[in-house]
Amino acid sequence: MARLWLCGLLLPALVVSAAANVAPTFLDNMTRVQLPEDLPVGAEAFWLVAQDQDNDHLTYGISGPNAYFFTVTLDTGKVDLASPLDYETLYWFKIIISVSDGQNQVQKEMQVIVEDRNDNKPVFQNTDFSTSISETLPVGSLVFSVLAVDKDTGPAGSVVYSIDEVIPSTGDSKYLFKILPSGSIILNGSLSYNNKSAFYQLKLEACDSGGLYNNITTVQCSSPVFLSISVVDQPDLDPQFVREFYSASVAEDAPQGTSVLKVEAVDSDKGINDLMTYSISNSTRPGWFDIGLDGVIRVSGSLDREQLLEEEEEVQVQVTATEMHPNIYGQEAKVSIWVTLKVTDVNDHKPEFYNCSLPACTFTSQEAQANFTGSVDEHASTRIPIDNLTMVVHDPDKGRNGTFLLSLGGPDAEAFSVSPARAAGSADVQVLVRVPSLVDYERHTVMLVQVVATDSVSGNSSVASVIIHLRDINDHRPTFPHNLYNLSVWEHSANGSVVTNSIHAFDPDTGDGGRITYSLLPGTGADVFEVDPDSGTVRVRNSRLLDREKQAVYHLTLQATDGGNLSASTTLQIVLLDINDNEPVVSGSYNIFVQEGEANVSVTIQAHDSDQPDTNNSRLHFSLLPGPYSQNFSVDPDKGVLRNLGPLDREAIEPALGGRIVLTVCVADCGVPVLSTEVNVTITVEDVNDNLPVFNQSIYSFLVKERDPGVLVGVVEAWDADQTEANNRISFSLSGSGANNFMLRGLVLGSGWAEGRLLLPSDVSLDYEMQTSFNLTVSAENPDPQGDEATVGVLVAVVDVNDEPPTLDSASLQGIRVAENGSQYGLVAEVVARDVDTTAQLEVQLVNVICTKAGVNVGNLCHGWFSVLTNGSVFITESKAIDYETCDLVTLVVRACDLTTDPRFQAYSDNGTLPITIEDVNDNAPYFLPNNKTFVIIPELVMPNQQVASVQARDSDSGSNGAIVFSILQVDFIAKDGAITSFQGFFWVSTSTEANVFIGNIELVTNLDSTLQGTYQVTVQAQDRPSVGPAQKAQITLHLFTVDQSYRVRLQFSLTKEEVGANTEAIKAALAQATRTTVYIVNIQDIESTARARGRSYLDAYFVFSNGSALTLEELSVMIRNDQDSLTQLLQLGLVVLGSQESQESDLPKMLSNVIIGLGVTLLLVIVIMTMALVCARKSYHRKLRALNAAKEARRTAGGVMPSASAIPGTNMYTTERANPMLNLPTKDLGFESQSSSSDLDHISLNSLDDNSVDLEKDKQEIKKEPLHSPMGSDLEPLSVVLSGRKTGMGGQQEAVSFTNDGLDTTDL
């Protein structure tokens, strides 16, 4: 500061002295420059621009600690980038720019701001990801959480997570998981251990949101990491049989207990593999087989293959496999399969004979037969089969067991043979003629053979007898017993009428030769009669032509022909008999008119018959056919006179007839059959007014509602029996008390019928309270002024109107409770309706259904759960659809309706509500809520009973079903080297609730080891507490990152402990702003006076990121220096020194121990150095002694004398003399023994000097006379010095021949 004041005082003097030359000046904008961090090295960064009033040549420069970033073109001021910039390392710095005009140099501070560019990729904080989840994990549940960090700022540092690939890659796995912006991976679809996959691998990638890089908007993505997810199987699938089809064979004679087949089923839940029990649930042959617990099907009854022929010799058995334990739904997990068991054949049947033909044989007991018949012509040829013989041999056994042999026996076996001789299973059997001469009809008409079928294996046999009927050939002519036959037939006999069936011809032949065919030869009557060709029966062919009046007698010729066309004939004479074939004929028509009650009827029917007179066929008989009015008349049977039996009444006749009576008279002859003719006689009876009107009721009673003007009260009806309009027209009149309140209107209904409509006038209405009834009289009369009238009483009752609405019984609307998920069925409540009206007809109606969840309307979710009948019964209609989690209160809005209420009044009650509370069932497992927090533990800070982490969970159930209790299942510590150590009892979890969210606070039980470096992996379980049934569970694993003492940083302040404590919050805020971390202060203490420190107090703290990592001292120092605002604030708060705890620890004992150790090490080093110096001095003395001896000897040796022997390559020895070639000395051992640690070669190379004597005293004097070498000069090589002095010692007589070997230097000797 004093220097600044001094500069200020000297500045005016300097300005005055330099007035002759003005210093250059930078432009005003040369204070700050912004450069992108991706600016390439060598690229132009900016220009230094200055002005000089003297127009002197300017040179530019950059200096300062950060000047290495740039290079400057001195003459132009162009600045190029020399070292790459990095925003993340140094986002701003200062440089000193300078300009000089040759006389004056001006410097200025310039601030360089480094602009961030998207040059960093997001980096995952961990790359070893794996987890396990249950296959029943609900959709939306948390699966895993990842974290990636991008060092860039802004959008370029904003990380976006994505799932690039799901392995296995299938259509349903592509979107099975979803990653949230926070890095939490949640389940987006349903899992299935068996049907989908038991393992998934998610390829995760983290990309920033993009930013400029090399002037291009670039998105940087991390290297992909992989999350391994193992699906834990749950028992939710039915078992499966290991084979799709089972079949086996068993002999039909297998004893009970024989093992037939073993079936095996496995649990489809491959991760569980439950044990199985087996049972037979169905069988086409119950009782034949059973199955054991081991899945082996055994014979349990007697088997018979022959009972299974229609079932292809197979028994179908349905085997059911059931898992030992119920599935997750509490139900049996089972599967069924049909097993085919084929029953194989055993030779247990002998061949038998059946009367049928293949393939239509069914081989039933009804078809089994031992006796057969057939026929054959006599003398038939060889190999001709017997006709009409249907014989089949069948052996139900199979294969060789069903093979049999056929042979013939019996009295006539020589005449015949059997085919086939051998067969298997079933075969048609034929008996063939073998010897035709033995088949003779004249010898015997019937022959007998026996067919024998013998089982080829067992030898068992069956025998069938065959009776063979021989057929005769045609060798006789047919004959009639008579040559003439007299016959008769009625004329017009029906077609097919038999004239005779007793005429037959005879032929002794049999078969076709003895079969006779009859025919009529052409002639008179051949078109009238016909003969049956087989029976010879003669019948009428054309009844119409058979008329006695045209022809009375016919003569016919009947011929008989046998099957060999041999014939004979006879004559038939047929006489026609007369029949009654003519009907009587009536002459004229008959219509008669008479008045009712007075006139009589008498008329004669005229008729005749054309049949022969004086015979029954022509004698006539009259009769009156029954009819509606025939009982009032009679007719003379012989003369045909028709008369009435009494007075006629017009009103007794059906009005629709108009007074007309139609009688039918039948005229018939007495022949056989009787023929008749009918004739109608019409009698019209004229009407007379002889009847009064008659009401259809003796008294009328009507009801009428009060306050209802203009309505119809009732209708009276009357009728007049007279049948003409002039005599039956009716008019009405009204009388009686109160008749003026009514009016009566007459209306003709039809002929003789009329009605009187009793009405209230439109301006008149009755009042039930004033008069409840009226007694009226209605009169009905004819228009005849001389006629009487008829009256009837009418009672009109006034009806009270149903005008009261119904009501609902409040007691029946009390709330009810129904459990969800199909727990209840049927009737649950009765809504009761009441009405004070006696005629009320009530029904209960459902007006609305209100569905609410926690007081919030959820729409129509519950509309189909309940129904209300008209009698008020409330039923559950969809029990399994009732779900507490979607709707916990169903409100049924109902009302009562009186169906008989007068329309003018209210028919409905007020709406009532029946609340139905849905009771929860524990059908939902708890689930953890996603939590993006990172839990960090600083062992030095956390104390027992202090919370270190928390989880949140929910359960969609309610009450105790939704109450969650947390527990810790396992705690593992994963060290940084990957070692895993299990801990027990270090943490415990407490459960609390807030706003329907259950919170598990994980607290420390005991102190943690602060030296451990790694992560605590805590597995927390959430379990509900249902009052009934098993509890539901869910698990989550938390990662608690530890920060050990190596990250503890100490800051020294110039203030006291109390002053620092008062500024703690400000200090934490400044540090958090500079580091973007969470600051944990461990301790604040004063510095002891004995300690060497610049501060008065110190503060120990940890600086922890949200991902669990912490800052070291060096990182903290860089970040604070890079944030000038925070640094300024900290300096104002008294910060003086940054350091680690170890570097600044003022522990005096430790310091003293360090000093003692240092002194000990120093003493040891001094002893070692002195020892080595003594050894080296002694060795140096001996070497110098050798060198002096060698020099003395060298003076005596003539220069240039070379040994004659050859040298050994690579050595300084000669092969013979063993002399030193470098010194050119003769071979002679000097007898000098080395006492150094030189090698043998060194010893050999010097032994040539041993014979020389050395004057040590003289040498010492000469050495003392030599001047000391300058420290800066190089020492002369001793041997060279000696040799150079030889010329002086030898008096110059030696030859000037010599050489120098630079490879030999005796200086170090």
Side-chain angles (χ1 to χ4, degrees), residues 950-1204:
S950 65
V951 293
Q952 293 182 340
R954 281 182 177 163
D955 193 316
S956 299
D957 297 319
S958 66
S960 61
N961 295 331
I964 298 176
V965 61
F966 296 97
S967 60
I968 295 178
L969 298 182
Q970 185 175 355
V971 177
D972 293 327
F973 182 79
I974 303 177
K976 289 189 176 180
D977 59 359
I980 300 177
T981 305
S982 296
F983 289 91
Q984 298 296 332
F986 274 48
F987 302 93
W988 77 285
V989 60
S990 62
T991 304
S992 61
T993 180
E994 181 179 346
N996 294 328
V997 176
F998 287 86
I999 303 172
N1001 296 316
I1002 300 172
E1003 301 177 3
L1004 191 62
V1005 175
T1006 182
N1007 291 321
L1008 299 178
D1009 188 349
S1010 60
T1011 62
L1012 293 179
Q1013 296 182 356
T1015 304
Y1016 287 95
Q1017 187 170 282
V1018 181
T1019 302
V1020 181
Q1021 174 178 280
Q1023 176 176 320
D1024 54 23
R1025 295 180 289 181
S1027 57
V1028 179
Q1032 305 271 12
K1033 303 175 183 179
Q1035 295 181 9
I1036 191 173
T1037 300
L1038 301 180
H1039 297 274
L1040 280 61
F1041 300 94
T1042 61
V1043 178
D1044 59 273
Q1045 285 185 339
S1046 63
Y1047 292 96
R1048 182 170 176 173
V1049 177
R1050 174 164 294 181
L1051 294 82
Q1052 289 189 12
F1053 291 85
S1054 60
L1055 306 177
T1056 64
K1057 177 179 71 175
E1058 290 74 13
E1059 292 173 328
V1060 173
N1063 297 329
T1064 299
E1065 295 302 324
I1067 294 173
K1068 289 178 63 176
L1071 292 172
Q1073 178 181 349
T1075 61
R1076 306 295 192 270
T1077 62
T1078 302
V1079 182
Y1080 298 92
I1081 296 178
V1082 180
N1083 189 19
I1084 302 176
Q1085 293 293 335
D1086 287 329
I1087 298 177
E1088 297 180 4
S1089 59
T1090 57
R1092 294 183 179 181
R1094 296 171 56 186
R1096 299 174 59 188
S1097 63
Y1098 65 86
L1099 180 150
D1100 290 341
Y1102 291 91
F1103 298 85
V1104 183
F1105 288 101
S1106 59
N1107 62 0
S1109 60
L1111 287 178
T1112 62
L1113 173 62
E1114 292 76 11
E1115 294 170 340
L1116 174 65
S1117 177
V1118 171
M1119 298 185 74
I1120 292 179
R1121 291 190 179 96
N1122 289 339
D1123 191 335
Q1124 292 298 318
D1125 295 336
S1126 300
L1127 179 58
T1128 302
Q1129 186 177 0
L1130 290 171
L1131 292 176
Q1132 293 174 354
L1133 294 172
L1135 178 65
V1136 292
V1137 175
L1138 286 175
S1140 65
Q1141 178 183 4
E1142 291 77 2
S1143 64
Q1144 301 176 18
E1145 185 66 51
S1146 58
D1147 191 348
L1148 185 57
K1150 183 176 181 180
M1151 182 182 298
L1152 292 176
S1153 62
N1154 291 337
V1155 171
I1156 294 172
I1157 294 173
L1159 291 175
V1161 172
T1162 302
L1163 179 59
L1164 180 61
L1165 289 175
V1166 169
I1167 294 173
V1168 171
I1169 292 172
M1170 291 179 67
T1171 304
M1172 292 184 66
L1174 180 60
V1175 173
C1176 291
R1178 184 180 179 188
K1179 291 178 67 177
S1180 177
Y1181 172 76
H1182 286 287
R1183 288 179 180 175
K1184 288 180 179 180
L1185 179 60
R1186 294 176 196 158
L1188 291 175
N1189 290 331
K1192 183 177 180 180
E1193 183 65 27
R1195 291 188 185 101
R1196 302 172 183 174
T1197 304
V1201 178
M1202 299 296 293
S1204 60

Side-chain angles (χ1 to χ4, degrees), residues 10 69 96 101 198 229 461 468 529 804 823 946 963 1084 1097 1154 1165 1277:
L10 295 177
F69 282 107
I96 306 300
D101 60 359
I229 302 175
S461 63
I468 303 173
F529 300 94
E804 293 294 331
S823 301
Q946 182 176 344
I1084 302 176
S1097 63
N1154 291 337
L1165 289 175
E1277 202 270 325

